[in-house]
Amino acid sequence: MDKYKTKMTINKWFSYISLETLSESSRQTISQFNRYSKKLTFKKVLKLFLYA
C-alpha cells in the first residue's frame, strides 16, 4: 500500500465521524482538550488513533 492510499483511507474514515452531532458534554470535553493542548487538537488525535 502506498502512502497516498493510506492518507485517503484515513480521511474517508474520519469523514464518517461527525463531531458536531455529539452531546453537549462531549463537545465541552473536546473543547477543554483543545484548550489545554496547543498543537495536538482532538481531530489530530483521532486521526492518529485511526492511523495506528
Side-chain angles (χ1 to χ4, degrees), residues 33-45:
F33 180 86
N34 288 338
R35 189 178 321 137
Y36 175 73
S37 61
K38 299 283 185 203
K39 294 181 181 180
L40 192 62
T41 63
F42 187 76
K43 287 184 179 183
K44 289 181 182 179
V45 169

Side-chain angles (χ1 to χ4, degrees), residues 5-33:
K5 268 191 170 177
T6 304
K7 288 181 182 179
M8 288 190 299
T9 303
I10 291 171
N11 288 334
K12 188 175 182 180
W13 289 341
F14 193 70
S15 69
Y16 292 118
I17 301 171
S18 178
L19 297 177
E20 290 77 28
T21 60
L22 296 174
S23 67
E24 184 63 34
S25 63
S26 299
R27 284 187 274 163
Q28 286 177 351
T29 305
I30 291 171
S31 68
Q32 289 174 356
F33 180 86

